[in-house]
DNA sequence: CTGAAAGCGCTAACAA
DNA sequence: TTGTTAGCGCTTTCAG
């Protein structure tokens, strides 16, 4: 099952009759200019006369030459790739972070390359190993929790490492994110201030979702300091988060009808819960308050605006990219720490105090 | 703004005291085995005695050696990367396609590398150029519409090219997708069969969203054959699709209150429209029918199930990956055509005929 | 089973 | 402004 041979009539190439990757030498021969000068033209380096430059560019375009970065990288010991490792793309959270990264890297000459771990430390290790073996200029990786091997690889890579999303932990090098513990605490404070007392928590079952767990921990800690505790909790995994939000809400309220607040670990299940409550005619936020987490813009389209907390996703991507690109303006070399402040968006599902 | 010098006390490395990428030679010296044999061990190639193998593996692990794929690729003329180019990640559609690709590639030794174009042909060209310059083993790219330069690059690359999502057009090499023209037609047929006659269309403004446009074309063609035409249309760009769906629906029904069906170009705006209609107490699907496109699982959590058509996203990713990996089992070498059949999901927003 | 030599396609460094 | 000479770190190939 290999590619067709050069002579295969079905896949002819007008521009590249050799049907093998063109080299600098081909351009050199076609233009009558030395390989070295061709290389300079193609990289806009050094001084080249306009006449020569034009000859080279015409030849390169005519042949359809695409430089071989593998050889270039090996020779120059420079790779314009930034490895970006996230747990998931289905989450809505991460695409936005990646958007911030791409945008910021756009005019730095650096190129993001994405890898996905599915919340598995083993996958993370494999993905990091694979990516590091291409000797990228930097790594941006979600979270502060990694296997020992992953940490060792990153530490030894000798390139900027930026851990993102979360600042509650021990970074390898730089870190950009929010404190999820604090986010949980602040939400608890707002809820208590609004007069709610009988509170339930709904979240993901995934033990690897450290950030959701930290929010819950902060949340409970704050409740405890107010003499309260979580009266019920429910966890899910898999399936449509919106539908799960409905189901879990129904289940929890059937089991614990006295609850007056539900804190969801993400906006999607929160939105499901909200829709369910509205259908049941439950008085939100009068009898029952609701809040989620992330500030996804989906919430703008709901019948009522779910209280949430913005996770600064885009900005996290931007700041991380700046650090990798050496544009953070901090004057620091590595070891930066950027803690962003999530903004509480009270929406319409928490009583005004 | 460069990395700290070797002696920087803040970023010490226990495993890699040199703080420069380790080479095969380092492992060779540490293990007392020739570079060549070390290479063989690390790639599981050729016969190596167990004793030697162990010596090498121990040394490599102890040092924290990560192979340099750049050098390896240059020497072997083999790169285990598959370039995957999509217009957007915010779309929910593409993450799922990427999931199908990753999953299928998982045990082929190939690694997907993702690039995003933001629906811009110029960005696509730049991304393709960048990716091709790493000499990947294959390319999977969304859509059949590309700039001439992009098409030329892909044709000349001498590797499997799979265009995905859409089969209505002229593929460069292989193609995996659905016919969006036909999808539009089928939706129109179902709507007409259910007795709706005064139909409006709501979609994206983006001229580059060829697939949405093809659906609309197919839709209108089928209407025309039934002696009908679109009575109103509305387009949006930017913002929360759910919120836009509400706004557009409100605007269209204010302008054209006689409409009895709204066809949305994607599920997100459709969901917004559905929520709005339910709030307004509009009789859906009695007085007004609604349908979207994509079959996103978000719909499972809505108060009523929006009619939609599944775009076979995951399967598209899987089939495309199989072709690139040479596992499609077709016996063909290049030039495969896989047309999948989107399934109509009538949901609760089209009257039963 | 193991090793030595050559070179992948490009670029750094120097020479002209 | 242009060309020449050595490699970059690995794998291929062939010889022991």
């Amino acid at each position: 099952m290999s590619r067709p041979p050069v002579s295969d009539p079905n896949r002819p190439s007008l521009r590249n009759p050799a049907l093998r990757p063109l080299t600098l030498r081909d351009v050199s021969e076609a233009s009558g200019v030395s390989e070295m000068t061709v290389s300079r033209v193609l990289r806009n380096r050094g001084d080249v006369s306009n006449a020569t430059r034009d000859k080279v560019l015409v030849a390169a375009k005519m042949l359809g030459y695409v430089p071989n970065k593998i050889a270039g990288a090996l020779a120059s010991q420079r790779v314009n790739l930034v490895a970006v490792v996230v747990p998931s793309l289905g989450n809505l959270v991460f695409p936005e972070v990646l958007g911030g990264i791409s945008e910021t890297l756009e005019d730095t000459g650096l190129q993001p390359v994405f890898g996905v771990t599915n919340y598995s430390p083993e996958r993370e290790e494999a993905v990091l190993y694979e990516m590091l073996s291409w000797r990228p200029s930097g790594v941006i990786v979600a979270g502060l929790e990694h296997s020992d091997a992953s940490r060792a690889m990153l530490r030894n890579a000798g390139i900027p490492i930026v851990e993102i999303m979360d600042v509650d932990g021990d970074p390898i090098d730089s870190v950009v994110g929010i404190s999820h513990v604090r986010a949980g605490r602040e939400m608890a404070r707002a809820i208590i201030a609004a007069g709610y007392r009988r509170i339930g928590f709904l979240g993901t079952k995934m033990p690897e979702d450290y950030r959701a767990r930290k929010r819950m921990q902060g949340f409970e800690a704050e409740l405890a300091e107010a003499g309260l505790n979580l009266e019920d909790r429910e966890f899910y995994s898999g399936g449509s988060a919106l539908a799960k939000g409905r189901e879990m809400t129904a289940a929890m309220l059937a089991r614990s009808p006295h609850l007056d607040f539900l804190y969801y670990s993400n906006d999607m299940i929160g939105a499901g819960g909200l829709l369910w409550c509205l259908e049941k005619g439950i008085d939100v936020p009068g009898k029952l308050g609701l809040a989620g987490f992330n500030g996804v813009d989906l919430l703008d389209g709901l019948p009522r605006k779910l209280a949430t907390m913005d996770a600064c996703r885009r900005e996290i991507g931007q700041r991380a990219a700046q650090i990798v690109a050496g544009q953070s303006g901090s004057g620091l070399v590595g070891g930066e720490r950027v803690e962003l402040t999530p903004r509480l968006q009270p929406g319409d599902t928490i009583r005004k105090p």
Side-chain angles (χ1 to χ4, degrees), chain A:
Chain A
M1 190 78 53
S2 63
R3 290 273 93 195
V6 169
S7 61
D8 183 320
N10 297 321
R11 301 186 67 255
S13 167
L14 296 168
R15 323 278 284 302
N16 174 4
L19 207 36
R20 61 137 167 101
L22 296 162
T23 67
L24 265 189
R25 171 179 223 111
D26 294 304
V27 181
S28 167
E29 285 171 359
S31 63
V33 176
S34 79
E35 281 187 48
M36 195 54 234
T37 301
V38 171
S39 167
R40 279 196 271 256
V41 171
L42 264 20
R43 286 176 298 141
N44 293 312
R45 306 280 285 231
D47 293 318
V48 180
S49 74
N50 282 327
T52 309
R53 174 186 313 286
D54 290 349
K55 262 194 295 189
V56 170
L57 290 177
V58 167
K61 172 150 287 184
M62 198 195 60
L63 294 171
Y65 173 70
V66 176
N68 184 333
K69 289 226 181 199
I70 297 171
L74 184 62
S76 67
Q77 310 280 357
R78 238 192 304 285
V79 177
N80 70 335
L81 264 25
V82 174
V84 180
V85 178
V86 296
S88 147
L89 290 177
N91 200 309
L92 285 187
V93 174
F94 295 108
E96 205 155 337
V97 175
L98 302 188
I101 293 173
S102 304
E103 172 195 311
T104 303
L105 251 29
E106 201 118 302
D107 25 46
T108 62
L110 293 172
Q111 250 245 336
V113 177
F114 305 122
V116 179
T117 69
N118 292 317
Y119 289 97
S120 149
E122 294 78 35
R123 286 286 313 149
E124 181 180 85
E125 204 173 302
V127 168
L128 282 173
Y129 185 80
E130 180 71 22
M131 293 187 133
L132 286 176
S133 72
W134 287 99
R135 302 286 188 262
S137 291
V139 176
I140 297 175
V141 53
L144 291 157
E145 287 76 18
H146 315 286
S147 71
D148 286 344
S150 293
R151 296 180 66 89
M153 272 191 284
L154 291 171
R155 215 194 324 273
N156 284 348
I159 54 176
I161 308 295
V162 186
E163 290 165 284
I164 57 170
M165 309 312 290
D166 185 5
V167 301
D168 299 317
D170 189 23
I172 294 169
D173 180 6
S174 297
V175 59
V176 178
I178 64 172
S179 165
H180 287 260
V181 171
R182 188 182 306 187
R185 277 190 177 274
E186 283 185 15
M187 185 56 88
R189 211 170 308 140
I191 290 168
I192 295 168
Y196 298 101
R197 292 294 178 272
R198 313 180 73 81
I199 301 166
F201 180 91
L202 303 91
T204 52
K205 191 168 283 160
M206 270 182 297
E208 309 296 355
D209 190 345
Y210 297 101
R211 292 177 286 284
R213 213 159 67 190
K214 287 173 185 175
R215 291 196 294 278
M216 188 170 106
Q217 283 164 4
F219 190 79
E220 286 200 82
E222 187 74 23
L223 290 188
E225 288 173 19
L228 300 172
N229 49 44
L230 279 183
E231 308 231 336
D232 197 358
R233 55 192 85 196
E234 176 108 12
F235 301 91
Y236 80 102
S237 63
S240 157
L242 203 63
K244 289 292 177 183
R246 286 173 173 273
E247 290 168 24
M248 292 201 294
T249 303
M252 182 172 283
L253 289 179
R255 188 169 59 222
S256 313
H258 63 290
L259 293 179
D260 65 3
F261 201 97
L262 302 180
Y263 180 38
Y264 296 86
S265 81
N266 69 62
D267 284 341
M268 246 5 208
I269 55 174
L274 172 59
L275 288 174
W276 187 86
C277 290
L278 294 179
E279 275 166 47
K280 296 298 171 197
I282 293 173
D283 172 15
V284 176
K287 281 265 176 278
L288 182 69
L290 304 173
F293 181 83
N294 265 338
V296 302
D297 74 7
L298 174 103
L299 299 185
D300 289 341
L302 294 181
R304 201 162 311 178
K305 196 128 193 253
L306 183 69
T308 189
M309 201 168 255
D310 176 29
C312 310
R313 303 180 297 284
R314 188 162 211 93
E315 192 180 356
I316 287 177
Q318 292 166 337
R319 303 292 293 269
Q322 284 167 0
I323 292 176
V324 167
Q327 296 182 336
S328 66
S330 69
L332 287 176
V333 178
E336 293 194 48
R337 180 193 154 92
V338 178
E339 178 175 349
L340 302 173
T341 310
R343 290 168 290 280
L344 176 68
Q345 299 172 350
D348 314 312
T349 61
I350 296 186
R351 282 195 296 261
K352 309 303 175 204

